[in-house]
């Protein structure tokens, strides 16, 4: 028996019956989500009021369209039982209520309102993306990968040209920040988008699609490397571990080795241009970028090997392996020669290849000092004065705790942290319950889990949660993973 999409009411037994036109709302929701996240990323991640107002308009549009589409799905008989049974709305509601109560008590209504709206926007985007159909989910995830590639190339360009709007000077080096204005925030967003591309690459797909995916993924990874963000690297690593746990480490190594190699080559060309005061070295940077993108576009992994138990297709395509290795070896050797200069590597080693961070440690001491004053209820949302008397003398003042968990602890106390942890627990539980059936495509579901893990790790080391584009991107993926159409298709037995 031919199995039809849930968008059609006709059956194979009644071919003469006119079939209703599929709703265009899922495509509009996917387009709005892609436009909203891209615009937020362009407007410094939605950090400032202008970007937040833009997001408010877009999220409102998603909410309206999703509500109408949910009614249509329910009337069609597919139902929204999974959405109705989701109890996670209680935890976000408690977090929003506690935030607004504390904001009123401490006279920080504006800050409380922004935090409450962000929590609500995450909920709306998750719910909105659950009503997407399969093609809309594919379109949205592909748009996110394209966003990652554009942001990655802008990050690369900013470091090469020492462009202050796209890169940030500090600790003797230029670090990519793309359009987000902050390297660690750019790294967090690029890590999520790179993990999405890596998960999509695990699909069984044609060679042309695999090449395009590899090209975009490599560009995203080059931008991630150009940020020189330790937190971003840790977030990406944690997300990659989650991908390996959900998709299998053999498959991940098979499909990820070539883009990672291309990103290593492409980012290596920036080394001569990274030191502050150095001139822009266009020849090695452009040569390495083009070579890296070409390497990343080589489909070493046979798409057929991504189904079932994958094998390292590199071993079965030996005719391509020498070419890739020779090109990579020449690129690395040439870049090492061009980037020769011990001062560059000394700056990298001192500034980025170390786990020690005096400023971050001082900020954590300052926030713990503030937490000690009001451990249960907190000091109110919008806390921007964290001070600490250092043992060496002198008062250190910080605007952010560089740890969103500690920041929330200081602002909303242990009650607020408890609400946040409950939200995370229910979201992860929701994703686990939506694990696709054996034999079904797991790429979007795995990307959602990896994105949530990456965000959870990223906010542990910086204030990246203050950039709405970052948690909202993970929210969109979480909603796509729970699409009612995808779940209906994967749970329906084949006939």
């Amino acid at each position: 028996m031919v199995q039809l999409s849930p968008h059609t009411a006709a059956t194979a037994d009644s071919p003469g019956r006119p079939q209703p036109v599929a709703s265009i709302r899922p495509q509009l929701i996917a387009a709005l989500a892609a436009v909203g996240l891209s615009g937020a990323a362009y407007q410094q991640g939605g950090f400032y009021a202008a970007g937040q107002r833009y997001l408010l308009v877009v999220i409102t549009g998603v909410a309206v369209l999703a509500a109408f589409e949910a009614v249509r799905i329910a009337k069609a008989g597919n139902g929204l039982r999974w959405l109705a049974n989701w109890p996670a709305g209680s935890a976000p509601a408690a977090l929003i209520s506690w935030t607004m109560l504390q904001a009123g008590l401490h006279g920080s209504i504006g800050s409380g309102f922004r935090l409450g709206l962000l929590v609500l926007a995450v909920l709306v985007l998750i719910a909105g993306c659950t009503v997407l159909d399969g093609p809309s989910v594919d379109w949205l995830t592909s748009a996110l990968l394209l966003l990652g590639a554009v942001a990655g190339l802008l990050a690369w360009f900013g470091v090469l040209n020492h462009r202050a709007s796209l890169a940030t000077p500090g600790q003797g080096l230029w670090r990519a920040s793309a359009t987000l204005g902050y390297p660690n925030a750019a790294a967090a967003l690029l890590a999520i988008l790179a993990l999405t591309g890596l998960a999509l690459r695990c699909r069984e797909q044609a060679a042309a699609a695999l090449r395009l995916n590899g090209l975009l993924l490599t560009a995203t990874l080059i931008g991630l490397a150009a940020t020189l963000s330790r937190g971003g690297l840790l977030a990406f690593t944690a997300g990659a571990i989650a991908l390996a746990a959900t998709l299998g480490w053999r498959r991940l190594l098979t499909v990820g080795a070539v883009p990672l190699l291309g990103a290593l080559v492409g980012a290596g060309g920036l080394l001569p241009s990274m030191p502050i005061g150095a001139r822009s070295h266009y020849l090695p940077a452009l040569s390495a970028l083009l070579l890296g993108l070409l390497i990343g576009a080589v489909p070493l992994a046979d798409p057929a090997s991504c189904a079932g138990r994958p094998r390292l297709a590199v071993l079965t395509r030996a005719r391509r392996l020498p070419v890739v290795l020779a090109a990579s070896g020449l690129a690395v050797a040439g870049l090492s020669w061009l980037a020769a200069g011990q001062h560059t590597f000394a700056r990298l080693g001192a500034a980025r290849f170390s786990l020690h961070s005096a400023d971050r440690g001082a900020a954590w001491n300052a926030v713990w000092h503030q937490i000690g004053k009001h451990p249960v209820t907190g000091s109110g949302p919008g806390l921007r004065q964290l001070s600490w008397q250092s043992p060496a003398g002198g008062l250190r003042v910080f605007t952010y705790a560089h740890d969103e968990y500690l920041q929330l602890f200081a602002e909303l106390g242990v009650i607020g942290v408890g609400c946040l942890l409950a939200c995370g627990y229910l979201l992860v539980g929701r994703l686990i319950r939506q694990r696709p059936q054996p034999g079904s495509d797991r790429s979007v579901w795995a990307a959602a889990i990896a994105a949530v893990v990456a965000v959870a790790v990223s906010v542990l080391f910086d204030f990246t949660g203050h950039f709405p584009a970052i948690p909202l991107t993970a929210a969109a993926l979480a909603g796509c993973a729970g699409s009612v159409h995808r779940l209906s298709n994967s749970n329906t037995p084949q006939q």
Side-chain angles (χ1 to χ4, degrees):
M1 180 181 294
V2 178
Q3 187 170 347
L4 298 177
S5 166
H7 296 290
T8 58
T11 64
D13 297 327
S14 56
R17 184 181 302 174
Q19 298 182 7
V21 179
S23 172
I24 197 176
R25 281 188 288 266
Q27 291 89 336
L28 292 177
I29 293 172
L32 264 181
V35 170
L37 294 174
S38 301
Y42 174 75
Q43 294 183 327
Q44 295 183 282
F47 186 84
Y48 295 105
Q52 292 165 7
R53 287 193 294 268
Y54 169 81
L55 275 172
L56 179 61
V57 173
V58 172
I59 296 298
T60 302
V62 169
V64 172
L65 289 171
F68 280 105
E69 181 64 12
V71 172
R72 189 192 74 83
I73 294 174
K75 288 182 177 180
N78 293 316
L80 291 173
R81 291 174 298 173
W82 173 84
L83 187 61
N85 293 331
W86 182 39
S90 58
L95 179 57
I96 294 173
S97 300
W98 179 249
T99 299
M100 296 311 301
L101 175 62
Q102 289 299 99
L105 292 175
H106 292 87
S108 53
I109 295 296
S111 298
F113 193 63
R114 282 192 292 271
L115 178 56
L117 278 180
L118 176 59
V119 177
L120 184 60
V122 168
L123 281 178
V124 169
L125 202 52
I126 292 176
C129 289
T130 58
V131 301
L132 297 183
D133 55 15
S136 299
V137 169
D138 293 340
W139 190 91
L140 178 55
T141 52
S142 299
L144 291 178
L145 182 55
L146 178 61
L147 170 62
V150 172
L153 292 176
L154 287 174
W156 173 89
F157 179 80
V159 172
L160 175 62
N161 287 273
H162 302 163
R163 191 68 59 89
S165 58
L166 299 173
T168 302
Q171 296 179 301
L173 297 167
W174 283 94
R175 299 175 56 199
S177 57
T179 54
L180 280 82
Y182 184 50
N184 292 343
L189 181 61
L190 288 169
I192 296 172
L193 300 176
L195 290 167
T196 303
L198 198 55
L200 296 179
R201 193 170 171 80
C202 291
R203 286 178 169 176
E204 186 175 354
Q205 53 193 308
L210 198 63
R211 290 189 184 96
L212 179 59
N213 176 283
L215 187 72
L216 298 178
L217 176 57
T218 302
T220 306
L221 289 169
I222 289 173
L224 175 59
T227 63
L228 298 177
S229 172
R230 293 167 294 187
L233 179 60
L234 287 173
F236 176 78
T237 302
I241 293 173
L243 285 182
T246 52
L247 297 175
W249 66 268
R250 285 192 180 94
R251 176 181 301 186
L252 202 63
L253 285 177
T254 300
V255 302
V258 175
L260 286 172
L261 178 61
L264 181 64
V265 172
L270 290 175
L271 286 174
S273 305
M274 280 185 172
I276 295 177
R279 64 180 180 87
S280 299
H281 295 264
Y282 291 100
L283 181 60
L286 286 171
S287 302
L289 176 66
L290 293 176
L291 182 58
L293 293 176
L294 288 174
I295 292 173
V298 174
L300 282 180
D302 188 349
S305 70
C306 292
R309 295 184 60 185
R311 52 191 168 83
L312 289 177
V314 194
L315 301 177
T316 66
R317 297 202 171 191
R319 66 182 184 277
R320 292 182 179 176
L321 185 59
V323 176
V324 175
L325 290 180
S328 303
L330 288 174
V332 172
L335 290 173
S336 298
W337 177 76
L338 290 171
Q342 294 184 357
H343 66 284
T344 300
F345 296 101
R347 291 183 185 181
L348 281 171
R352 310 314 307 166
F353 296 153
S354 170
L355 296 178
H356 177 70
S357 177
D359 289 340
R360 188 169 277 104
W364 290 347
N365 285 326
V367 74
W368 274 114
H369 176 71
Q370 185 66 37
I371 290 171
K373 297 179 179 179
H374 307 282
V376 178
T377 60
S379 302
L383 183 63
R384 295 293 181 270
Q385 288 294 327
L386 301 171
S387 58
W388 178 62
Q389 188 75 34
S390 64
L395 184 67
R396 303 289 300 276
V397 180
F398 301 91
T399 304
Y400 298 101
H402 290 273
D403 184 321
E404 294 288 24
Y405 302 109
L406 293 181
Q407 184 86 32
L408 192 71
F409 199 170
E411 294 182 357
L412 300 180
V414 69
I415 297 177
V417 173
C419 292
L420 177 66
L421 294 179
C423 292
Y425 173 79
L426 292 172
L427 176 59
V428 172
R430 168 185 183 269
L431 290 172
I432 292 175
R433 288 193 302 272
Q434 312 231 309
R435 181 174 182 173
Q437 297 295 323
S440 302
D441 178 25
R442 295 188 175 190
S443 58
V444 176
W445 175 74
I449 292 180
V452 171
V453 170
V455 171
V457 172
S458 172
V459 298
L460 183 63
F461 298 101
D462 224 310
F463 57 96
T464 50
H466 282 70
F467 295 79
I470 296 172
L472 288 177
T473 300
L477 290 168
C480 289
S483 167
V484 291
H485 294 294
R486 185 188 64 78
L487 292 176
S488 175
N489 291 339
S490 63
N491 292 332
T492 303
Q494 299 295 326
Q495 300 186 26

